[in-house]
Amino acid sequence: MITVGLIGKTNVGKSTFFEASTMNEVEIANRPFVTIEPNVGIGYVKILCVHKEFGVKCNPRNSVCLEDYRFIPIKIVDVAGLIPGAHEGRGLGNRFLDDLRKADVLIHVVDASGSTDEEGQPVPPGSRNPEEDINFVENEINEWFLSIVNKDWDKFARTTDLGGKDIPEALLTKLSGLSINRYHITQTLKLTNLENMKLMQWSKDDVRLFAKTLREVSKPIIIGANKIDIPGAKENIKRLKDKYSFVIPTSAEAELALRKASKAGLIEYIPGESNFKIKSALSEKHIKAIEYIRKNVLEVYGNTGIQQALNSAVFDALKMIAVYPVEDEKRLTDKLGNVLPDVFLIPKGSKPKDLAYTIHTDLGKGFLYAIDAKKKIRVGEEYELQNRDVIKIVSTLAKS
């Protein structure tokens, strides 16, 4: 399962973002270091389900279907907030960084309103430039990567070169604790123009560049620009979007309020949508709260941004696609007759054989070909899977 790490300085709304994403109850307060132990829960990315295209009713097994949307589970980890110097152990830095090792992608929750200082203490809105927080948090993570790469570097480089070892494989072994794979290593070597150099020839600047690029490749970051309903946030977000690739305006408090109201049966609300429907008589307090959300969040930004941030992390930053495997391409079922039961998140560019191995090792080992259920055609090993494909794997070895 894909793991999304929530990062940021302390007191920017990470715990609220986490609870809004997972509906796990966590401690939330307007003070630094509310989160000490990491909160771990299940959230979901959202896609249009293919059932409507086929005119069928699906029976989800590894995911959830809500109206026309399929929600695919991902793991979300909310870790302790960062302060400057975290990579040197300041604050809860060491614990924070260790909790990030297993993350595949990071959402940096930023106070877009500028209402918390670098230590996470409340200040008047607009007092803090959120770009300063982006810079220091990303620098802390890059420095953490560098400290791991740098550990015993001279000895490691000498042993690797003189022993004639495969450089990517040696680096992969050294850095295995960061949950990286061979692709991350080879891509980083290529991007840094270090792929044809012996490790002993690397300068200190080369090592630093490699560590920074490896972090960018293996743990990409998107920005969740939070607290969008506070005055001044909109202007800050515009500036951030001009400079950074993935900036998603978010209101974790608004999303949490809508999900709680929906869970209580007060409104009908699908996460990520631009509106909601009132189901029952509301108190004056509830009416005031949801109308505030409608006016200051939904009408201004189109959504609360929480679902969009999760989707952007998985589909944009990680470049994943969603594929539905079936055993019967005509009935779109598994062997038990469940219609469109499963959907898997796999890297863009994956081939049918990759999907087969994702489902079960035996299917991959015995892979023969696949059938595209939408186009009703046979596809070979070199076919590049597309987002929302429905695929039958034909194999000499049945899934056990």
Side-chain angles (χ1 to χ4, degrees):
M1 185 180 292
I2 289 171
T3 298
V4 176
L6 302 183
I7 64 171
K9 72 180 184 184
T10 186
N11 201 23
V12 293
K14 287 192 297 88
S15 295
T16 309
F17 189 113
F18 174 83
E19 186 175 353
S21 302
T22 64
M23 290 303 289
N24 284 15
E25 293 186 4
V26 297
E27 185 182 358
I28 297 170
N30 185 26
R31 57 183 173 83
F33 297 123
V34 171
T35 301
I36 297 177
E37 295 298 330
N39 296 309
V40 181
I42 301 298
Y44 297 85
V45 291
K46 170 186 173 186
I47 62 170
L48 275 173
C49 188
V50 298
H51 71 254
K52 194 171 183 179
E53 295 175 40
F54 290 95
V56 298
K57 180 177 175 59
C58 62
N59 308 110
R61 190 174 63 174
N62 76 341
S63 46
V64 178
C65 203
L66 186 58
E67 295 190 9
D68 290 333
Y69 296 102
R70 184 67 70 105
F71 288 82
I72 308 166
I74 56 175
K75 184 184 289 185
I76 302 178
V77 179
D78 166 34
V79 298
L82 276 176
I83 59 174
H87 72 280
E88 297 172 338
R90 189 162 177 257
L92 298 173
N94 289 336
R95 184 182 301 182
F96 164 91
L97 294 167
D98 279 341
D99 290 335
L100 283 184
R101 288 177 182 270
K102 300 298 182 183
D104 300 298
V105 61
L106 307 174
I107 296 178
H108 182 182
V109 182
V110 174
D111 179 357
S113 71
S115 58
T116 46
D117 65 18
E118 68 175 14
E119 304 282 344
Q121 299 291 347
V123 294
S127 300
R128 174 81 171 171
N129 180 354
E131 193 172 336
E132 294 180 64
D133 296 331
I134 293 172
N135 291 336
F136 102 69
V137 168
E138 292 196 8
N139 179 67
E140 291 297 333
I141 295 174
N142 290 340
E143 289 295 322
W144 168 57
F145 256 66
L146 177 61
S147 69
I148 295 171
V149 174
N150 249 338
K151 186 175 181 181
D152 298 323
W153 176 260
D154 290 340
K155 179 181 177 182
F156 165 73
R158 185 168 58 253
T159 301
T160 300
D161 288 349
L162 297 180
K165 297 180 181 180
D166 178 71
I167 288 178
E169 194 61 34
L171 286 166
L172 183 59
T173 300
K174 176 179 172 59
L175 305 173
S176 59
L178 291 171
S179 293
I180 60 176
N181 57 42
R182 189 178 176 92
Y183 169 80
H184 295 145
I185 297 288
T186 56
Q187 184 69 2
T188 300
L189 290 171
K190 182 178 179 181
L191 290 171
T192 54
N193 295 317
L194 294 169
E195 55 188 338
N196 295 318
M197 286 178 61
K198 293 290 187 181
L199 297 182
M200 293 172 66
Q201 295 176 315
W202 289 18
S203 67
K204 289 184 178 180
D205 287 341
D206 290 332
V207 175
R208 176 174 287 276
L209 177 62
F210 174 82
K212 178 177 182 293
T213 308
L214 180 63
R215 198 283 301 158
E216 293 168 348
V217 170
S218 65
K219 298 191 192 304
I221 296 175
I222 75 159
I223 297 166
N226 200 32
K227 304 186 181 182
I228 55 178
D229 58 311
I230 297 177
K234 194 171 185 180
E235 292 74 17
N236 283 335
I237 289 168
K238 185 179 183 304
R239 287 195 294 271
L240 294 178
K241 283 188 170 184
D242 288 339
K243 187 165 184 178
Y244 299 93
S245 299
F246 304 121
V247 178
I248 313 296
T250 65
S251 175
E253 286 192 351
E255 180 70 13
L256 181 57
L258 291 175
R259 291 203 187 190
K260 284 187 172 181
S262 179
K263 187 177 181 181
L266 302 177
I267 65 173
E268 287 182 3
Y269 172 67
I270 297 176
E273 295 300 284
S274 60
N275 211 340
F276 55 84
K277 183 188 295 184
I278 297 175
K279 291 177 62 178
S280 60
L282 300 178
S283 67
E284 184 177 342
K285 178 182 177 182
H286 281 129
I287 291 173
K288 185 176 180 180
I290 65 171
E291 287 306 320
Y292 176 88
I293 292 170
R294 192 195 303 274
K295 180 180 178 181
N296 294 282
V297 177
L298 300 182
E299 291 182 0
V300 177
Y301 296 96
N303 49 65
T304 69
I306 301 302
Q307 188 63 61
Q308 285 69 20
L310 296 177
N311 271 34
S312 184
V314 172
F315 295 119
D316 296 331
L318 276 186
K319 297 180 173 62
M320 305 298 281
I321 60 172
V323 179
Y324 296 75
V326 295
E327 293 195 36
D328 185 329
E329 77 279 11
K330 294 185 174 66
R331 297 171 58 226
L332 308 176
T333 59
D334 62 12
K335 62 184 178 183
L336 299 176
N338 295 306
V339 178
L340 298 169
D342 297 325
V343 58
F344 287 90
L345 295 170
I346 58 177
K348 185 178 181 181
S350 293
K351 307 295 176 65
K353 193 170 185 178
D354 299 319
L355 175 64
Y357 271 107
T358 300
I359 299 167
H360 198 281
T361 303
D362 286 350
L363 281 180
K365 288 179 178 178
F367 176 83
L368 294 174
Y369 61 91
I371 297 174
D372 183 329
K374 286 185 178 180
K375 298 178 181 177
K376 298 180 173 60
I377 60 172
R378 173 173 165 168
V379 294
E381 191 172 334
E382 294 308 308
Y383 171 71
E384 187 171 306
L385 295 168
Q386 301 299 306
N387 192 40
R388 300 173 67 249
D389 267 352
V390 181
I391 299 291
K392 171 185 172 63
I393 301 294
V394 179
S395 173
T396 60
L397 297 174
K399 177 182 173 184
S400 61

